Amino acid sequence: MKLLRYGPAGAERPALLEQDGTVRDLSEIIADVDATSVTPEVLSRIADRDPKTLPVVAQPGRIGPCIDGVGKFICIGLNYIDHARETGNEAPIEPVVFMKATSAIVGPDDDIVQPRGSTKLDWEVELGVVIGTKAKYVAEDRALAHVAGYFLANDVSERAFQTEGTGQWTKGKSCDTFGPIGPWLVTADEISDPQNLRLWLEVDGVRRQDGTTANMIFSVARIVSYLSGLMTLHPGDVIITGTPAGVGQGMKPPVYLRPGQIVTLGIEGLGEQHQTVVADAT
């Protein structure tokens, strides 16, 4: 299934996308796409309902973040060897973990707002994972059973904030609008192999990233297992799993985003995002 949320920011409604592109409102079954509705029991209840019996959403308008009420927004850095090398790093020997503020989350086509003082605004297409069942000390061969589904993410980054000051990467990863997710939460049964998905990103129509999740250093299963040994993962927690080569920081010379530019990205089977970069007007 492809689950989504539509409507104005803060007032989104849950919906289902049929194979023919019809959007069906899910409000009769769930209040929202959130931690309470990504469990196996609720997903099964949605799947058992004949979508033809649900109201059609003729004009969904804005598409919101594909899940609401995210508990933890966990990120994996340097998880593609080509990306690690383009940024001057060696391949990590274990997953590099950092957090992104949940207040950074926005819809897939919402604007990217360049914050005050930003000079090195960058892009990163990533595969996202939604946890569906509690996971603690999970073996790698059982880790994917705890995944409710997958989504497309742009790990927007401000490189000067991230690496040129003191402290952790979180500072350059957590600004408002730095976490576009969606358009859909695609349930795990539709993704036969998360390590065989093409992902790409363009800036103003120029292809900057073009890779495959087959080149991850640490697989989704390995990441979920590893994280479950550090912290308990709960339904509604999300993980983004790293980006392939082609970020602005890695170009020679580096190239960064400017207001007015358009960022387009996608992952096979998970849809596309389209964002306009704007200056912070507050």
Side-chain angles (χ1 to χ4, degrees):
M1 295 183 294
K2 293 181 174 66
L3 306 180
L4 62 117
R5 303 171 65 247
Y6 70 97
E12 294 94 343
R13 295 171 63 90
L16 172 73
L17 181 70
E18 293 191 90
Q19 289 186 350
D20 65 2
T22 302
V23 177
R24 301 273 180 174
D25 190 281
L26 283 173
S27 300
E28 295 179 14
I29 306 175
I30 56 175
D32 204 345
V33 181
D34 58 19
T36 67
S37 56
V38 296
T39 62
E41 297 78 16
V42 178
L43 291 178
S44 178
R45 190 161 77 242
I46 297 170
D48 288 344
R49 179 71 174 264
D50 180 356
K52 304 303 182 187
T53 66
L54 297 169
V56 172
V57 182
Q59 296 181 323
R62 172 184 175 271
I63 303 299
C66 59
I67 182 169
D68 189 40
V70 171
K72 294 190 282 292
F73 196 162
I74 309 168
C75 311
I76 306 298
L78 306 176
N79 196 30
Y80 290 72
I81 185 60
D82 54 358
H83 173 59
R85 287 173 176 165
E86 75 174 347
T87 56
N89 294 280
E90 295 299 321
I93 60 174
E94 61 183 74
V96 175
V97 180
F98 62 96
M99 308 293 280
K100 204 173 182 84
T102 56
S103 55
I105 293 174
V106 290
D109 301 328
D110 291 341
D111 292 341
I112 295 172
V113 178
Q114 184 172 26
R116 294 180 185 179
S118 167
T119 58
K120 297 181 178 180
L121 187 64
D122 208 346
W123 58 83
E124 295 189 7
V125 59
E126 305 204 11
L127 172 65
V129 177
V130 177
I131 298 298
T133 58
K134 181 179 176 181
K136 186 172 179 65
Y137 299 126
V138 174
E140 186 172 340
D141 63 357
R142 295 183 56 81
L144 293 185
H146 294 269
V147 173
Y150 301 91
F151 61 88
L152 167 64
N154 186 354
D155 180 16
V156 183
S157 308
E158 212 303 326
R159 301 303 187 188
F161 295 0
Q162 178 185 353
T163 61
E164 295 179 12
T166 58
Q168 302 298 314
W169 287 6
T170 301
K171 294 191 299 183
K173 298 286 190 170
S174 292
C175 300
D176 293 348
T177 75
F178 276 23
I181 62 173
W184 317 312
L185 191 171
V186 180
T187 51
D189 59 294
E190 289 201 8
I191 304 298
S192 59
D193 183 3
Q195 304 310 141
N196 187 32
L197 300 173
R198 178 172 164 264
L199 64 172
W200 56 271
L201 182 144
E202 296 178 350
V203 179
D204 288 342
V206 177
R207 185 63 54 99
R208 295 301 190 188
Q209 292 184 276
D210 199 343
T212 170
T213 57
N215 291 335
M216 283 185 184
I217 298 170
F218 306 105
S219 68
V220 172
R222 171 65 177 135
I223 290 167
V224 172
S225 174
Y226 178 83
L227 290 174
S228 77
L230 300 176
M231 63 192 86
T232 302
L233 301 176
H234 295 280
D237 287 347
V238 301
I239 307 162
I240 56 176
T241 57
T243 197
V247 301
Q249 182 188 33
M251 299 176 68
K252 301 190 185 306
V255 174
Y256 297 109
L257 293 170
R258 306 180 307 277
Q261 291 191 294
I262 306 295
V263 181
T264 307
L265 57 150
I267 298 180
E268 178 183 0
L270 301 183
E272 296 186 5
Q273 299 184 356
H274 307 268
Q275 295 128 18
T276 301
V277 182
V278 300
D280 190 336
T282 61

